[in-house]
Amino acid sequence: MAEELGDFIEAAGLLEYDPTAIKRIYAGHPQRLIRRLWQTLVPIGLLLLGVFFDWLLQRFKDQRQARKRAKECAELLVDLGPAFIKAGQALSTRPDIIPPLLLEELSQLQDQLPGFDSDLAMACIEEDLGGPIESFYKQLDRNPISAASLGQVHRGILKEGQKVAVKVQRPGLREQITLDLYIVRNIAAWLNKNVGLIRSDLVALIDELGRRVFEEMDYLNEAANAEKFARLHQKNNRIGVPKIYHKATSRRILTMEWIDGVKLTNLDAVREMGIDPDDIVEVGVNCSLQQLLEHGFFHADPHPGNLLAMADGRLCYLDFGMMSEVSRESRTGLIQAVVHLVNRNFERLSRDFVTLGFLAKDVNLEPIAPAFEKVFSQAIQAGVDRMDFKAVTDDMSGVMYKFPFRVPPYYALIIRSLVTLEGIALSVDPGFKILGAAYPYFARRLMEDPDPQLRQSLKEMLFDGEIFRWSRLENLVSSAANQSQLDLDTLLDQLLDFLFSQKAGLLRDQLVDATVDHLDALGWSTVQRLGRRLPRQLQPAFFISSHGSALNDPLIQLEPIRKLIAVLQSLPGFTPNLVMKRMSRVFNEPNTRRMSFQVAQGLAERGVVRLVRAAAGIAT
């Protein structure tokens, strides 16, 4: 039992992923390496031999044979153990490396294995916590309720009476994972050196995987992630996170609050709790977008087992071993890319991919923009709210495999997270589109965020060259209004900030021109009505010859502003007071005084022109 509980790698002092230290450790213990090499390289070699003959005999032209080999590859990774499963899952988000058919099979890899011996699990708990089970738990079920590649979960009750879930790591897991990563890393190095078709750095990919798996194996790190996630979302009363009990938690044992809930995919059970499945999915989508674009700290593995609907209407997140971070620059870059996508500016979109780290700065972008246009044009024509995210990512996989793309690690996890989330949502609503659900959030961020780069993106969204498109502003505000967390005060302040900014000079000029047109027409119409009340012999000739009212001309109505006001009035929580309390700011803006002078000047010029025309009419 003591030998089974021991961990050779931990005993060697390796608690963090370090490829140099791993190489040194196994150089001193070659017998461990040779045994595992025999277990892994023989089946891998046999598979590659079969693939080679299929390629030689051109059997891959038959899609059924190609799919069969792809399925065999995925099944082999499961047989080889946790590290290979994790490697396959990592590769399933790398369309720049893996051809589409194999990508599809790898994306279906499940991180599930049979549980290990219960006696071993109990012994592991006692060794890691440093005392008998009875000193920590009033009750602890011997049989696990679930098991995965890294460990298994037991249900229990603490001495103080709290119901808990106890996650126990597989004994010897760290050594098995480390040894397999060492083998896979050497295979990757050989492939990079000898296979010219592979453009991406496979060794860097394995090193990134190694760092993440070592973090995932450290339950103290997972506990810290859970508490950070809880702090970031503490103001959201629709999100739940299990409490961590530190006195019964160690590097290989994690004790957390037991959550009573049901999987989102169990629709009947969700409805029996009195919860609308569509509503709880919307909570999940909004929370994921907030994680990604606001906090930059997101749950990278939101599969159905890690998301539970609770009786009080909250959505509870579980399993915080695989988390990722997105820098402020990358978050801004993602929003800018969405703007350029919606505006069909594919040249700018290709440059966004350089900024986000998908393409090297020296890559020729000339053939890439047309490729983007081919992938996205039809999808955008259908509308963002109807865009099929899975279909678009599948099409993008072909582009990334053809051109010299390299997928940043954070983006691979984002795609995995969003594809998984869309899969859950589709089980609730077959017509669900993740991009349609996400666009209102993007719109709100674009309207509210004071970031200078996003202010520039807002200008790009609203202007078509030198022309301000009122319909785009109307659509943007309408989309933002679909967000339940919309901050109306902030939205109105940002609208005013934009209106009076240096970048909105053209918009202010349009407002001045429209106001001059409207007031001039109103004034002229008033003069005409008064003039017609005079005896006919006293009416000037130009009154008699004028027919109708200039106000009937729709071109001189302030229709865009009326539309915008109508949109604002439709927003939940909107009251006229929100506008009135900002009037003092509007009147005190230097640009307001400048606009007032321009309006007065325009009206005076119009008045002079009308007098000249009237005089000319009388003279004739």
Side-chain angles (χ1 to χ4, degrees), residues 456-500:
Q456 176 62 31
S457 294
L458 179 61
K459 181 186 176 185
E460 290 177 19
M461 176 69 89
L462 298 179
F463 281 89
D464 185 0
E466 298 296 308
I467 301 171
F468 184 84
R469 297 298 186 191
W470 282 98
S471 60
R472 291 184 182 178
L473 178 60
E474 183 184 349
N475 291 337
L476 200 62
V477 174
S478 297
S479 294
N482 291 328
Q483 268 282 303
S484 58
Q485 299 177 17
L486 180 68
D487 185 339
L488 269 179
D489 279 305
T490 302
L491 176 61
L492 290 172
D493 286 337
Q494 291 293 353
L495 278 171
L496 289 177
D497 287 344
F498 178 70
L499 176 62
F500 293 115

Side-chain angles (χ1 to χ4, degrees), residues 137 158 164-167 243-245 248-249 253-257:
Y137 306 99
L158 288 175
V164 293
V166 183
K167 186 189 287 191
K243 180 181 178 181
I244 304 297
Y245 294 98
T249 293
I253 308 296
L254 177 62
T255 301
M256 58 193 144
E257 176 187 2

Side-chain angles (χ1 to χ4, degrees), residues 108-137:
Q108 298 175 36
L109 277 174
Q110 296 297 311
D111 188 12
Q112 294 178 341
L113 289 175
F116 56 92
D117 183 75
S118 296
D119 290 335
L120 199 56
M122 297 301 113
C124 186
I125 293 172
E126 291 185 338
E127 179 179 276
D128 267 50
L129 298 185
I133 286 176
E134 293 74 20
S135 62
F136 297 95
Y137 306 99

